[in-house]
Amino acid sequence: MTLFRIRPIALSCLLAAGLAGSLGVHAEDKARVVILATGGTIAGAGASVANSATYQAAKVPVDKLIAGVPELKNLADVRGDQVFQIASESFTNEHLITLGKRVAALARQADVDGIVITHGTDTLEETAYFLNLVLKTDKPVVVVGSMRPGTAMSADGMLNLYNAVAVAATKDAAGKGVLVTMNDEIHTGRDVSKTVNIKTEAFKSPWGPLGMIVEGKTYWFRAPAKRHTTGTEFDIDKLDKLAPVDIAYGYGNATPTAYKAFAEGGARALIHAGTGNGSVSGAVVPALQELRGKGVQIIRSSRVVGGGFVLRNAEQPDDKYDWVVAHDLNPQKARILASVALTKTSDAKELQRMFMEY
Ligand code: DAS
């Protein structure tokens, strides 16, 4: 038989390769993916398998997250680092800067091919957009979370993490900006937001996902339309502090109190989460004009989300008031862009350009 004529060394190589293959360890070079853990539900733990919504976030360390999905090693050479261990509603601008610098440093390393960030879902959309604006890399950077803790029945974290590593390990995810994988979908960090607070199908993009990830394979259907990462004018390595920007909600019976208080507190821009097309109550307009006169930027977004955009000079004379419109960005994303943009300009026309391009 042919097998016995093979020299012993060749036979042992064949056996080793066969064994390695069966264990899912493939001889060919695998992508090197680093998982940066920050906390959230994906690291959460509940008292019982029935607790899919009652649990404590930010409990499970990154090495246990990785150990919980042994199949990751079939996708990539994976290593983990615990950057924070917090629920993401507690993220601050300082957390964003620290995380951004950490990701940028890793992206510069020749032995890193892709980066995954595990994150709470509450502000995941803000972090993903921030990184999309300030990272100068075309390597895949994928932000991922989960809606249920790993201790619950039908927990979504394992598959979300598997999908995120699969996307971070694939060359066709390069150059698409910062991505978010949730619930089998691949979204751009720019568009995606959390639209449901208690279901696994929680993350949506008003213009749709970029693609899907199924059994570790990516399927792309569109590409990002706005500037990001290697096309950005912002640079995390030149950023040490973000501008203070706050958000005030528009609604019936609204008053100028919140806007004035935020300005008193040092806000350099106010995001108006307006009704409809970013409309501003007549009771609030004079206060905003006064604050604009004092140098505070006024940026009209809308509380109406899910597709559409605030049109300049439609219901409000933005040119006359020297106000900015957030275009299709929801209020929380408008805050992120304004807090970065104001580190480069205080000119409303320049801000408006940035809101149209990013
Ligand atoms: N509190 C939420 C957070 O950390 C939990 C989650 O959904 O991840 O964002």
Side-chain angles (χ1 to χ4, degrees):
M1 281 178 43
T2 317
L3 197 55
F4 288 106
R5 279 209 288 275
I6 295 176
R7 282 178 304 130
I9 185 68
L11 182 59
S12 57
C13 290
L14 272 175
L15 287 174
L19 181 63
S22 64
L23 291 175
V25 178
H26 301 294
E28 73 273 7
D29 283 345
K30 289 202 293 295
R32 294 148 302 180
V33 172
V34 178
I35 298 177
L36 296 181
T38 72
T41 293
I42 196 167
S48 90
V49 294
N51 288 127
S52 59
T54 307
Y55 57 85
Q56 285 212 300
K59 289 291 166 209
V60 180
V62 64
D63 54 345
K64 288 207 169 26
L65 290 180
I66 295 172
V69 191
E71 292 74 16
L72 294 180
K73 64 176 176 298
N74 299 339
L75 299 169
D77 283 337
V78 173
R79 61 186 169 89
D81 192 6
Q82 192 80 43
V83 184
F84 313 125
Q85 185 66 297
I86 58 173
S88 74
E89 61 269 25
S90 301
F91 253 66
T92 63
N93 287 349
E94 290 69 35
H95 287 112
L96 290 176
I97 294 279
T98 301
L99 180 62
K101 289 181 183 299
R102 185 84 183 75
V103 176
L106 279 173
R108 280 193 291 271
Q109 289 179 210
D111 65 343
V112 173
D113 300 305
I115 297 159
V116 168
I117 298 156
T118 59
H119 194 292
T121 59
D122 286 6
T123 62
L124 189 150
E125 66 202 78
E126 298 174 40
T127 299
Y129 185 38
F130 171 73
L131 296 173
N132 202 50
L133 289 171
V134 302
L135 289 177
K136 288 188 175 298
T137 180
D138 63 359
K139 290 183 181 176
V141 175
V142 186
V143 190
V144 64
S146 74
M147 294 300 292
R148 295 173 180 157
T151 48
M153 278 183 275
S154 296
D156 54 332
M158 279 177 71
L159 182 57
N160 285 353
L161 182 58
Y162 181 84
N163 288 344
V165 171
V167 172
T170 177
K171 288 187 172 48
D172 61 28
K176 291 185 166 68
V178 173
L179 302 169
V180 172
T181 58
M182 289 291 285
N183 197 44
D184 306 326
E185 293 180 337
I186 309 170
H187 292 263
T188 163
R190 180 198 184 270
D191 294 352
V192 74
S193 67
K194 184 176 180 180
T195 60
V196 177
N197 64 1
I198 205 159
K199 288 198 303 189
T200 50
E201 188 185 7
F203 279 73
K204 297 285 177 199
S205 292
W207 316 115
L210 298 182
M212 286 192 73
I213 168 84
V214 179
E215 296 189 356
K217 188 172 175 355
T218 52
Y219 300 85
W220 302 101
F221 301 101
R222 67 183 185 89
K226 298 289 186 177
R227 293 175 68 177
H228 60 76
T229 58
T230 47
T232 184
E233 64 198 276
F234 309 113
D235 184 350
I236 185 65
D237 291 327
K238 298 192 179 92
L239 268 178
D240 291 314
K241 194 170 170 49
L242 296 178
V245 177
D246 287 298
I247 303 171
Y249 219 72
Y251 46 86
N253 201 45
T255 69
T257 306
Y259 303 85
K260 290 180 176 174
F262 281 139
E264 274 296 301
R268 286 191 50 206
L270 297 174
I271 309 294
H272 171 66
T275 51
N277 187 13
S279 307
V280 184
S281 158
V284 173
V285 169
L288 297 190
Q289 288 174 298
E290 185 189 338
L291 290 171
R292 183 70 198 103
K294 292 178 179 168
V296 177
Q297 299 289 347
I298 305 299
I299 300 170
R300 294 195 302 115
S301 177
S302 174
R303 71 183 201 182
V304 176
V305 290
F309 58 88
V310 174
L311 189 66
R312 189 172 174 82
N313 294 317
E315 290 213 39
Q316 311 284 336
D318 298 298
D319 289 354
K320 181 177 162 201
Y321 292 167
D322 197 27
W323 291 355
V324 176
V325 291
H327 202 39
D328 67 324
L329 292 177
N330 66 27
Q332 54 270 32
K333 294 212 184 234
R335 182 192 75 85
I336 292 292
L337 178 51
S339 64
V340 173
L342 286 165
T343 65
K344 285 184 86 86
T345 182
S346 298
D347 175 75
K349 289 182 178 52
E350 257 300 87
L351 281 178
Q352 187 63 78
R353 173 187 66 78
M354 293 170 176
F355 269 86
M356 299 310 286
E357 292 181 4
Y358 290 93

